[in-house]
Amino acid sequence: MDEMEEELKCPVCGSFYREPIILPCSHNICLACARNILVQTPEAESPQSSRASGSGVSDYDYLDLDKMSLYSEADSGYGSYGGFVSAPTTPCQKSPNGVRVFPPTAPQPTPQQHLLPHPGSLPPIPRNSCITCPQCHRSLILDDRGLRGFPKNRVLEGVVDRYQQSKAAALKCQLCEKSPKEATVMCEQCDVFYCDPCRLRCHPPRGPLAKHRLVPPAQGRISRRASPRKISTCTEHELENLSMYCVQCKMPVCYQCLEEGKHGTHEVKALGAMWKLHKGQLSQALNGLSDRATEAKEFLVQLRNMVQHIQENGVEFEACLVAQCDALIDALNRRKAQLLAQVNKEHEHKLKVVRDQISHCTVKLRQTTGLMEYCLEVIKENDPSGFLQISDALIRRVHMTEGQWGKGTLTPRMTSDFDLTLDSGPLLQTIHQLDFVQMKVPAAPMLQLEECCTQNNSATLSWKQPPLSTIAVEGYILELDDGNGGPFREVYVGTETICTVDGLHFNSTYKSRVKAFNSSGVGQYSKTLIMQTSEIAWFTFDPASAHPDIVFSNDNLTVSCNSYDDRVVMGNSAFSRGVHYWEMTVDRYDNHPDPAFGIARGDVLKDVMLGKDDKAWAMYVDNNRSWFMHNNSHTNRTDGGITKGATIGVLLDFTRGILIFLINDEQQGPVAFEGLEGTYYPAISLNRNVQVTLHTGLPIPDFYTPGEADPNSSVC
């Protein structure tokens, strides 16, 4: 709990809080210290004079001095805090904690005045007194209640008391007159610690005292801590207990505040419910901060290990340097000292950077741990109103502290490697030019998974060098396998750090990796990334490869023709593996033409009917019958033609190497073609009497099971 000690000390006196009060800015200060730093303001700036002149109608009368907020009795001690500023004409000092404080204009109180038993016994506060928070330097004018208008922080007072008790070496007897001895028992009824002689003398085990229960001192200390919570009273109505919580003002209120005060129209909730709610919020916020503290501890271990690695690498590097210099001793003696100095300088620089980061992170972790322990102690308090007075500020502090452990805070600022190698190759006449040169290959690149993706049968990969790598990179080599567990092959070589690979197989799993290179060689591979291409093919007709007479519409899904002759158009995706199915609907069919549907190689003829050359496999059909055609060979005439609205399906199965055609969901003839291998594009040929629309991304028809049907028979 040592880290928490700074949370329990007053910023003015530097000692543990005594009778702490809560300022409107949510900071705390000892009651006596608050008395010491009061400053009396000029009468002209007082709220009374402002109201007397008729210029101030609101309960919140701001000073002309940079809109200094007022402490108004109508606001239960809480003004509009956005305008707090420190009084510019008041000289300031430094407290024992280094915080700026403002001294009083009146004489300093005596030590006896510093330990006042109750705010009611304080000497009267001068009119128009101003107090400035020693931490945020916001200033505030007190009303007629003076310091009594500020709520006491009983939660903080209880935490301080428990902390001081836990730090005490031993409990002393409370009845010894000189040199108190160590207590041996505590009477729970008397609430007094006794040593053995005082117990026998002052608490004999007879008469009424025989019924008292004596416990060990440590157990008595625990029972003291577990004493029932005090009933909190309203600072505005001292005879009323705090029973509700004003949501708008964020403060506990009493019944009379709701009946007579300004809180009557505000939303209020039960004190106990809000107490539990805010405890839960603080506990939840602490969970996040605890994770950051755990990461910080692990980070410190990493930094300390880096110190060891830097020292080891430095020693190793020095030994290597000395060995090389000894080999060239006659010519390198003068240069050797300079190079050693350079290495030592780099060595010390790395150590300094890491040690500075360790020191900075240790301080931040200590502050974070202190705040966590303080918050945990606050949560243990059984005082709802006292807790709610400080919970909002603590929650904000916890979130703010967690934010300080943001991205980059737990990243080393220095690498432990010495990326320098002595080049001993130059001739003796160039020894005076000897210097460190970079002779290491690049580190393995890091794939940026958030930017890597697949779309249809394309894959996009992105990578970068490790953030701490300082080795020059001249280019990258991207490799993919064949999507079927085969060997890797190079698909890109260049300086870019993002690459899209098109023309991959559908429904295939590809492995990818990348490595960097420079003049020293090729570095290690990155981690292997596994990517899955689309299971079903989505494609359109391809204007780039189509005959000029083809007319495209509907985002290249619908085609027609300007010529009476047949013209060929292909899809923009090629297939070489898997099972694929697509359909085309006949939107217009005039004068009984013979459109052809099927597949083709990339170099198919575009100005003849599909299937006329040896680069296409097709079915051409009129309104009554159809034929299969390849290399101008017509086979398998089959009854059944097409009309406007008909649907032609094409099923390409590479697992069996076959092509099947369908008309209106019924297979047209037997298996059209067999032994298909290689790469094929969907294709059709049509003239001006026909218009068709392409439909892709379709599942395989239910009647077809790949690999089970006899390729020489019809598929049923």
Side-chain angles (χ1 to χ4, degrees):
M1 297 175 65
D2 292 340
E3 291 85 352
M4 186 178 64
E5 186 168 314
E6 292 302 321
E7 296 279 344
L8 309 181
K9 289 185 178 180
C10 174
V12 176
C13 64
S15 302
F16 288 108
Y17 283 107
R18 289 169 290 187
E19 296 186 272
I21 58 176
I22 306 175
L23 299 179
C25 56
S26 300
H27 292 131
N28 301 284
I29 189 174
C30 295
L31 181 61
C33 294
R35 178 78 180 183
N36 291 344
I37 64 175
L38 287 177
V39 177
Q40 189 168 5
T41 61
E43 182 67 25
E45 296 179 351
S46 68
Q48 289 82 0
S49 63
S50 178
R51 282 192 291 266
S53 64
S55 61
V57 179
S58 170
D59 287 331
Y60 305 104
D61 297 320
Y62 290 93
L63 294 175
D64 292 336
L65 184 60
D66 283 339
K67 297 183 179 180
M68 182 181 295
S69 298
L70 299 181
Y71 186 81
S72 167
E73 68 277 1
D75 196 26
S76 301
Y78 291 84
S80 300
Y81 310 135
F84 281 108
V85 296
S86 57
T89 58
T90 306
C92 64
Q93 304 175 2
K94 289 291 185 73
S95 75
N97 283 354
V99 180
R100 184 175 66 166
V101 299
F102 294 87
T105 55
Q108 295 287 341
T110 64
Q112 290 76 15
Q113 290 175 318
H114 193 275
L115 301 174
L116 296 174
H118 190 274
S121 62
L122 287 169
I125 301 296
R127 291 174 58 85
N128 308 324
S129 294
C130 171
I131 186 172
T132 300
C133 175
Q135 291 183 275
C136 65
H137 312 308
R138 295 177 179 176
S139 298
L140 181 71
I141 292 181
L142 277 62
D143 62 6
D144 294 337
R145 292 174 297 170
L147 296 176
R148 290 176 298 172
F150 293 106
K152 292 184 63 176
N153 194 338
R154 294 183 302 277
V155 172
L156 176 57
E157 194 172 11
V159 174
V160 170
D161 181 58
R162 289 201 305 271
Y163 181 80
Q164 290 179 317
Q165 289 183 19
S166 66
K167 301 297 285 187
L171 293 171
K172 302 295 183 180
C173 175
Q174 296 176 275
L175 297 182
C176 291
E177 296 182 357
K178 295 181 180 180
S179 301
K181 299 179 181 179
E182 185 174 343
T184 56
V185 295
M186 174 198 170
C187 176
E188 289 187 336
Q189 285 70 32
C190 301
D191 195 20
V192 175
F193 290 94
Y194 298 95
C195 63
D196 287 336
C198 292
R199 177 179 58 82
L200 295 175
R201 183 177 69 254
C202 304
H203 200 289
R206 60 179 179 271
L209 299 179
K211 298 182 179 180
H212 287 198
R213 184 168 179 261
L214 302 179
V215 296
Q219 183 178 346
R221 174 189 290 174
I222 295 174
S223 64
R224 276 189 170 184
R225 294 183 192 175
S227 59
R229 68 172 186 250
K230 301 176 182 178
I231 302 299
S232 305
T233 57
C234 180
T235 57
E236 190 77 19
H237 311 98
E238 297 183 356
L239 298 181
E240 295 289 337
N241 295 334
L242 297 173
S243 58
M244 302 296 290
Y245 180 81
C246 179
V247 177
Q248 181 173 337
C249 301
K250 296 184 178 181
M251 61 177 294
V253 295
C254 67
Y255 176 78
Q256 194 170 348
C257 289
L258 301 179
E259 292 292 328
E260 304 174 2
K262 72 165 193 174
H263 304 282
T265 59
H266 295 177
E267 180 186 0
V268 296
K269 292 187 178 181
L271 193 66
M274 292 303 295
W275 175 39
K276 293 180 180 179
L277 176 62
H278 281 231
K279 273 195 172 185
Q281 291 176 349
L282 181 57
S283 298
Q284 187 175 3
L286 280 176
N287 289 336
L289 186 59
S290 176
D291 293 339
R292 295 296 179 270
T294 301
E295 293 175 4
K297 292 178 181 178
E298 296 173 353
F299 180 61
L300 283 174
V301 173
Q302 179 184 354
L303 291 179
R304 294 188 178 100
N305 291 336
M306 285 185 65
V307 172
Q308 179 65 23
H309 293 157
I310 290 174
Q311 292 173 338
E312 293 174 355
N313 292 342
V315 172
E316 180 181 353
F317 193 81
E318 288 182 15
C320 178
L321 178 61
V322 170
Q324 290 178 321
C325 289
D326 287 342
L328 305 171
I329 192 66
D330 293 335
L332 299 178
N333 273 334
R334 291 187 300 271
R335 188 65 174 166
K336 181 172 65 174
Q338 298 175 3
L339 295 175
L340 283 174
Q342 185 176 345
V343 172
N344 288 330
K345 182 178 179 181
E346 179 71 8
H347 179 199
E348 294 301 324
H349 171 68
K350 288 179 178 288
L351 290 178
K352 182 179 183 302
V353 171
V354 176
R355 285 169 175 164
D356 288 346
Q357 193 173 10
I358 290 175
S359 176
H360 175 75
C361 191
T362 301
V363 172
K364 187 181 290 293
L365 178 61
R366 180 182 180 88
Q367 294 172 350
T368 299
T369 307
L371 177 59
M372 290 171 54
E373 293 179 355
Y374 171 58
C375 291
L376 292 174
E377 292 298 322
V378 168
I379 291 177
K380 295 178 182 177
E381 284 296 307
N382 296 324
D383 183 357
S385 61
F387 178 85
L388 292 173
Q389 288 173 337
I390 65 174
S391 59
D392 283 317
L394 283 178
I395 293 172
R396 288 194 301 271
R397 286 187 62 193
V398 168
H399 283 304
M400 182 177 67
T401 304
E402 181 184 3
Q404 293 174 354
W405 290 104
K407 184 176 180 181
T409 307
L410 302 182
T411 302
R413 299 173 185 170
M414 180 63 64
T415 175
S416 59
D417 294 331
F418 284 75
D419 299 327
L420 299 171
T421 302
L422 186 63
D423 182 14
S424 59
L427 300 175
L428 291 179
Q429 59 268 30
T430 61
I431 288 179
H432 67 282
Q433 298 176 346
L434 187 63
D435 202 349
F436 291 109
V437 295
Q438 187 182 78
M439 293 292 291
K440 290 189 176 181
V441 297
M446 298 171 56
L447 288 169
Q448 301 190 83
L449 301 181
E450 66 277 4
E451 298 183 14
C452 297
C453 63
T454 59
Q455 183 176 9
N456 218 6
N457 64 334
S458 299
T460 298
L461 296 102
S462 178
W463 59 88
K464 64 179 181 179
Q465 282 299 106
L468 295 180
S469 177
T470 58
I471 303 175
V473 174
E474 297 179 6
Y476 300 93
I477 301 173
L478 175 63
E479 297 181 355
L480 268 71
D481 68 354
D482 61 356
N484 196 28
F488 283 91
R489 54 191 173 88
E490 293 183 2
V491 295
Y492 171 76
V493 178
T495 59
E496 299 295 332
T497 58
I498 186 170
C499 178
T500 298
V501 183
D502 298 318
L504 302 178
H505 298 296
F506 287 93
N507 194 24
S508 299
T509 301
Y510 285 89
K511 295 179 181 179
S512 59
R513 63 189 184 184
V514 64
K515 58 185 177 181
F517 63 87
N518 59 16
S519 57
S520 298
V522 180
Q524 296 293 320
Y525 284 107
S526 66
K527 293 183 178 179
T528 300
L529 177 63
I530 299 177
M531 308 182 75
Q532 175 73 37
T533 55
S534 176
E535 181 178 357
I536 299 176
W538 297 84
F539 60 92
T540 65
F541 289 117
D542 183 18
S545 62
H547 192 279
D549 291 337
I550 297 294
V551 179
F552 294 85
S553 60
N554 189 25
D555 295 329
N556 298 334
L557 292 174
T558 300
V559 292
S560 59
C561 183
N562 288 329
S563 174
Y564 285 104
D565 296 322
D566 290 307
R567 301 294 187 235
V568 173
V569 57
M570 298 190 299
N572 61 0
S573 292
F575 305 127
S576 59
R577 182 186 300 167
V579 182
H580 306 280
Y581 178 72
W582 63 94
E583 292 180 346
M584 285 160 283
T585 57
V586 180
D587 302 328
R588 180 167 52 83
Y589 187 76
D590 302 328
N591 302 321
H592 311 300
D594 299 323
F597 308 87
I599 58 176
R601 302 286 192 187
D603 54 351
V604 66
L605 295 177
K606 305 296 194 317
D607 55 357
V608 296
M609 178 184 287
L610 192 69
K612 287 283 188 179
D613 62 358
D614 62 349
K615 307 295 184 183
W617 294 256
M619 175 189 74
Y620 69 94
V621 58
D622 59 17
N623 62 322
N624 292 317
R625 61 193 69 83
S626 66
W627 293 264
F628 302 146
M629 184 167 61
H630 169 64
N631 199 18
N632 204 26
S633 173
H634 307 253
T635 60
N636 296 101
R637 171 179 168 175
T638 305
D639 292 335
I642 61 173
T643 60
K644 179 181 178 181
T647 300
I648 295 88
V650 181
L651 178 61
L652 177 60
D653 184 355
F654 283 102
T655 63
R656 294 165 52 192
I658 63 173
L659 182 65
I660 298 172
F661 294 98
L662 296 86
I663 295 180
N664 296 328
D665 298 328
E666 296 290 336
Q667 183 176 341
Q668 185 73 357
V671 172
F673 300 100
E674 306 171 14
L676 299 176
E677 293 181 353
T679 301
Y680 302 91
Y681 291 85
I684 67 169
S685 65
L686 71 168
N687 61 21
R688 66 182 306 160
N689 294 313
V690 181
Q691 176 178 300
V692 300
T693 296
L694 176 66
H695 304 279
T696 63
L698 304 177
I700 305 301
D702 294 337
F703 74 86
Y704 183 73
T705 302
E708 294 185 0
D710 183 358
N712 296 318
S713 64
S714 299
V715 180
C716 303

mmCIF file of all heavy atoms in Angstrom, residues 406-432:
data_model
loop_
_atom_site.group_PDB
_atom_site.id
_atom_site.type_symbol
_atom_site.label_atom_id
_atom_site.label_comp_id
_atom_site.label_asym_id
_atom_site.label_seq_id
_atom_site.Cartn_x
_atom_site.Cartn_y
_atom_site.Cartn_z
ATOM 1 N N GLY A 406 -2.287 4.501 -23.039
ATOM 2 C CA GLY A 406 -2.804 4.247 -24.369
ATOM 3 C C GLY A 406 -1.772 3.627 -25.295
ATOM 4 O O GLY A 406 -0.682 3.213 -24.899
ATOM 5 N N LYS A 407 -2.170 3.636 -26.544
ATOM 6 C CA LYS A 407 -1.353 3.000 -27.576
ATOM 7 C C LYS A 407 0.003 3.682 -27.653
ATOM 8 O O LYS A 407 0.102 4.882 -27.707
ATOM 9 C CB LYS A 407 -2.077 3.087 -28.926
ATOM 10 C CG LYS A 407 -1.346 2.356 -30.044
ATOM 11 C CD LYS A 407 -2.160 2.412 -31.316
ATOM 12 C CE LYS A 407 -1.438 1.682 -32.436
ATOM 13 N NZ LYS A 407 -2.207 1.747 -33.706
ATOM 14 N N GLY A 408 1.065 2.898 -27.641
ATOM 15 C CA GLY A 408 2.425 3.410 -27.752
ATOM 16 C C GLY A 408 3.129 3.570 -26.428
ATOM 17 O O GLY A 408 4.360 3.602 -26.373
ATOM 18 N N THR A 409 2.359 3.667 -25.303
ATOM 19 C CA THR A 409 3.000 3.846 -24.001
ATOM 20 C C THR A 409 3.804 2.618 -23.610
ATOM 21 O O THR A 409 4.850 2.728 -22.976
ATOM 22 C CB THR A 409 1.925 4.147 -22.938
ATOM 23 O OG1 THR A 409 1.127 5.235 -23.392
ATOM 24 C CG2 THR A 409 2.582 4.505 -21.616
ATOM 25 N N LEU A 410 3.287 1.438 -23.960
ATOM 26 C CA LEU A 410 3.935 0.188 -23.567
ATOM 27 C C LEU A 410 4.705 -0.419 -24.744
ATOM 28 O O LEU A 410 4.705 -1.633 -24.948
ATOM 29 C CB LEU A 410 2.876 -0.796 -23.040
ATOM 30 C CG LEU A 410 2.049 -0.291 -21.862
ATOM 31 C CD1 LEU A 410 1.071 -1.348 -21.398
ATOM 32 C CD2 LEU A 410 2.957 0.143 -20.715
ATOM 33 N N THR A 411 5.298 0.423 -25.525
ATOM 34 C CA THR A 411 6.139 -0.023 -26.640
ATOM 35 C C THR A 411 7.566 0.453 -26.401
ATOM 36 O O THR A 411 7.781 1.622 -26.090
ATOM 37 C CB THR A 411 5.625 0.562 -27.967
ATOM 38 O OG1 THR A 411 4.264 0.142 -28.154
ATOM 39 C CG2 THR A 411 6.473 0.069 -29.132
ATOM 40 N N PRO A 412 8.545 -0.449 -26.496
ATOM 41 C CA PRO A 412 9.934 -0.015 -26.255
ATOM 42 C C PRO A 412 10.342 1.077 -27.235
ATOM 43 O O PRO A 412 10.004 1.039 -28.411
ATOM 44 C CB PRO A 412 10.748 -1.303 -26.470
ATOM 45 C CG PRO A 412 9.771 -2.411 -26.320
ATOM 46 C CD PRO A 412 8.462 -1.895 -26.769
ATOM 47 N N ARG A 413 11.081 2.044 -26.725
ATOM 48 C CA ARG A 413 11.560 3.127 -27.573
ATOM 49 C C ARG A 413 12.890 2.789 -28.245
ATOM 50 O O ARG A 413 13.376 3.581 -29.055
ATOM 51 C CB ARG A 413 11.734 4.403 -26.730
ATOM 52 C CG ARG A 413 10.447 4.895 -26.088
ATOM 53 C CD ARG A 413 10.739 6.044 -25.142
ATOM 54 N NE ARG A 413 9.542 6.465 -24.425
ATOM 55 C CZ ARG A 413 9.540 7.306 -23.400
ATOM 56 N NH1 ARG A 413 10.694 7.834 -22.986
ATOM 57 N NH2 ARG A 413 8.418 7.633 -22.799
ATOM 58 N N MET A 414 13.457 1.668 -27.893
ATOM 59 C CA MET A 414 14.785 1.338 -28.412
ATOM 60 C C MET A 414 14.876 -0.170 -28.584
ATOM 61 O O MET A 414 14.359 -0.929 -27.778
ATOM 62 C CB MET A 414 15.859 1.838 -27.433
ATOM 63 C CG MET A 414 17.280 1.547 -27.878
ATOM 64 S SD MET A 414 17.727 2.374 -29.407
ATOM 65 C CE MET A 414 17.617 4.086 -28.884
ATOM 66 N N THR A 415 15.507 -0.594 -29.656
ATOM 67 C CA THR A 415 15.758 -2.014 -29.856
ATOM 68 C C THR A 415 17.076 -2.403 -29.195
ATOM 69 O O THR A 415 17.995 -1.588 -29.064
ATOM 70 C CB THR A 415 15.822 -2.338 -31.361
ATOM 71 O OG1 THR A 415 16.177 -3.700 -31.526
ATOM 72 C CG2 THR A 415 16.830 -1.461 -32.073
ATOM 73 N N SER A 416 17.146 -3.659 -28.771
ATOM 74 C CA SER A 416 18.357 -4.114 -28.086
ATOM 75 C C SER A 416 19.450 -4.574 -29.058
ATOM 76 O O SER A 416 20.563 -4.875 -28.632
ATOM 77 C CB SER A 416 18.003 -5.272 -27.141
ATOM 78 O OG SER A 416 17.440 -6.339 -27.871
ATOM 79 N N ASP A 417 19.125 -4.660 -30.326
ATOM 80 C CA ASP A 417 20.109 -5.129 -31.300
ATOM 81 C C ASP A 417 21.029 -3.995 -31.742
ATOM 82 O O ASP A 417 20.628 -2.828 -31.785
ATOM 83 C CB ASP A 417 19.409 -5.709 -32.531
ATOM 84 C CG ASP A 417 18.627 -6.961 -32.183
ATOM 85 O OD1 ASP A 417 19.038 -7.659 -31.246
ATOM 86 O OD2 ASP A 417 17.609 -7.224 -32.848
ATOM 87 N N PHE A 418 22.260 -4.366 -32.048
ATOM 88 C CA PHE A 418 23.221 -3.426 -32.623
ATOM 89 C C PHE A 418 23.316 -3.745 -34.121
ATOM 90 O O PHE A 418 23.960 -4.709 -34.522
ATOM 91 C CB PHE A 418 24.603 -3.571 -31.968
ATOM 92 C CG PHE A 418 24.676 -2.969 -30.597
ATOM 93 C CD1 PHE A 418 24.091 -3.588 -29.513
ATOM 94 C CD2 PHE A 418 25.334 -1.765 -30.394
ATOM 95 C CE1 PHE A 418 24.157 -3.029 -28.255
ATOM 96 C CE2 PHE A 418 25.410 -1.195 -29.136
ATOM 97 C CZ PHE A 418 24.816 -1.835 -28.063
ATOM 98 N N ASP A 419 22.621 -2.950 -34.910
ATOM 99 C CA ASP A 419 22.541 -3.219 -36.340
ATOM 100 C C ASP A 419 23.756 -2.643 -37.075
ATOM 101 O O ASP A 419 23.628 -1.833 -37.992
ATOM 102 C CB ASP A 419 21.246 -2.638 -36.911
ATOM 103 C CG ASP A 419 20.020 -3.255 -36.273
ATOM 104 O OD1 ASP A 419 20.088 -4.443 -35.915
ATOM 105 O OD2 ASP A 419 19.018 -2.556 -36.133
ATOM 106 N N LEU A 420 24.923 -3.012 -36.617
ATOM 107 C CA LEU A 420 26.165 -2.529 -37.211
ATOM 108 C C LEU A 420 27.131 -3.705 -37.353
ATOM 109 O O LEU A 420 27.220 -4.563 -36.468
ATOM 110 C CB LEU A 420 26.807 -1.442 -36.333
ATOM 111 C CG LEU A 420 25.985 -0.166 -36.110
ATOM 112 C CD1 LEU A 420 26.636 0.699 -35.052
ATOM 113 C CD2 LEU A 420 25.839 0.606 -37.407
ATOM 114 N N THR A 421 27.829 -3.742 -38.485
ATOM 115 C CA THR A 421 28.834 -4.772 -38.720
ATOM 116 C C THR A 421 30.069 -4.113 -39.328
ATOM 117 O O THR A 421 29.940 -3.272 -40.226
ATOM 118 C CB THR A 421 28.295 -5.853 -39.667
ATOM 119 O OG1 THR A 421 27.122 -6.429 -39.097
ATOM 120 C CG2 THR A 421 29.350 -6.928 -39.910
ATOM 121 N N LEU A 422 31.212 -4.457 -38.808
ATOM 122 C CA LEU A 422 32.451 -3.859 -39.305
ATOM 123 C C LEU A 422 32.847 -4.508 -40.632
ATOM 124 O O LEU A 422 32.958 -5.722 -40.742
ATOM 125 C CB LEU A 422 33.581 -4.052 -38.292
ATOM 126 C CG LEU A 422 34.884 -3.342 -38.640
ATOM 127 C CD1 LEU A 422 34.709 -1.844 -38.673
ATOM 128 C CD2 LEU A 422 35.968 -3.743 -37.652
ATOM 129 N N ASP A 423 33.035 -3.673 -41.652
ATOM 130 C CA ASP A 423 33.444 -4.150 -42.966
ATOM 131 C C ASP A 423 34.973 -4.115 -43.039
ATOM 132 O O ASP A 423 35.592 -3.064 -43.124
ATOM 133 C CB ASP A 423 32.830 -3.247 -44.043
ATOM 134 C CG ASP A 423 33.190 -3.717 -45.437
ATOM 135 O OD1 ASP A 423 33.668 -4.861 -45.584
ATOM 136 O OD2 ASP A 423 32.986 -2.930 -46.388
ATOM 137 N N SER A 424 35.580 -5.307 -43.014
ATOM 138 C CA SER A 424 37.049 -5.387 -43.036
ATOM 139 C C SER A 424 37.607 -5.653 -44.427
ATOM 140 O O SER A 424 38.772 -6.031 -44.579
ATOM 141 C CB SER A 424 37.521 -6.482 -42.072
ATOM 142 O OG SER A 424 36.970 -7.735 -42.447
ATOM 143 N N GLY A 425 36.777 -5.468 -45.466
ATOM 144 C CA GLY A 425 37.202 -5.785 -46.812
ATOM 145 C C GLY A 425 38.046 -4.746 -47.527
ATOM 146 O O GLY A 425 38.834 -5.089 -48.411
ATOM 147 N N PRO A 426 37.903 -3.460 -47.238
ATOM 148 C CA PRO A 426 38.662 -2.461 -48.011
ATOM 149 C C PRO A 426 40.166 -2.668 -47.899
ATOM 150 O O PRO A 426 40.674 -3.233 -46.944
ATOM 151 C CB PRO A 426 38.235 -1.135 -47.377
ATOM 152 C CG PRO A 426 36.914 -1.414 -46.762
ATOM 153 C CD PRO A 426 36.970 -2.814 -46.279
ATOM 154 N N LEU A 427 40.866 -2.177 -48.882
ATOM 155 C CA LEU A 427 42.321 -2.268 -48.892
ATOM 156 C C LEU A 427 42.922 -1.346 -47.846
ATOM 157 O O LEU A 427 42.258 -0.443 -47.294
ATOM 158 C CB LEU A 427 42.841 -1.893 -50.288
ATOM 159 C CG LEU A 427 42.349 -2.777 -51.448
ATOM 160 C CD1 LEU A 427 42.840 -2.202 -52.770
ATOM 161 C CD2 LEU A 427 42.812 -4.208 -51.264
ATOM 162 N N LEU A 428 44.255 -1.581 -47.550
ATOM 163 C CA LEU A 428 44.903 -0.819 -46.492
ATOM 164 C C LEU A 428 44.930 0.682 -46.788
ATOM 165 O O LEU A 428 44.844 1.497 -45.868
ATOM 166 C CB LEU A 428 46.334 -1.330 -46.305
ATOM 167 C CG LEU A 428 46.465 -2.735 -45.717
ATOM 168 C CD1 LEU A 428 47.937 -3.119 -45.613
ATOM 169 C CD2 LEU A 428 45.796 -2.823 -44.376
ATOM 170 N N GLN A 429 45.033 1.053 -48.072
ATOM 171 C CA GLN A 429 45.098 2.478 -48.375
ATOM 172 C C GLN A 429 43.782 3.205 -48.118
ATOM 173 O O GLN A 429 43.726 4.427 -48.113
ATOM 174 C CB GLN A 429 45.520 2.713 -49.836
ATOM 175 C CG GLN A 429 44.600 2.088 -50.874
ATOM 176 C CD GLN A 429 45.055 0.702 -51.266
ATOM 177 O OE1 GLN A 429 45.659 0.010 -50.440
ATOM 178 N NE2 GLN A 429 44.797 0.314 -52.506
ATOM 179 N N THR A 430 42.687 2.441 -47.890
ATOM 180 C CA THR A 430 41.388 3.070 -47.598
ATOM 181 C C THR A 430 41.011 2.930 -46.129
ATOM 182 O O THR A 430 39.847 3.111 -45.771
ATOM 183 C CB THR A 430 40.297 2.443 -48.469
ATOM 184 O OG1 THR A 430 40.201 1.048 -48.179
ATOM 185 C CG2 THR A 430 40.587 2.654 -49.933
ATOM 186 N N ILE A 431 42.009 2.601 -45.288
ATOM 187 C CA ILE A 431 41.698 2.389 -43.871
ATOM 188 C C ILE A 431 41.157 3.666 -43.220
ATOM 189 O O ILE A 431 40.290 3.614 -42.343
ATOM 190 C CB ILE A 431 42.945 1.889 -43.127
ATOM 191 C CG1 ILE A 431 43.235 0.452 -43.541
ATOM 192 C CG2 ILE A 431 42.765 1.968 -41.624
ATOM 193 C CD1 ILE A 431 44.459 -0.134 -42.898
ATOM 194 N N HIS A 432 41.652 4.824 -43.662
ATOM 195 C CA HIS A 432 41.197 6.069 -43.054
ATOM 196 C C HIS A 432 39.722 6.346 -43.324
ATOM 197 O O HIS A 432 39.100 7.193 -42.670
ATOM 198 C CB HIS A 432 42.027 7.241 -43.574
ATOM 199 C CG HIS A 432 41.810 7.510 -45.033
ATOM 200 N ND1 HIS A 432 42.404 6.743 -46.026
ATOM 201 C CD2 HIS A 432 41.082 8.467 -45.652
ATOM 202 C CE1 HIS A 432 42.039 7.211 -47.208
ATOM 203 N NE2 HIS A 432 41.237 8.268 -47.014
#
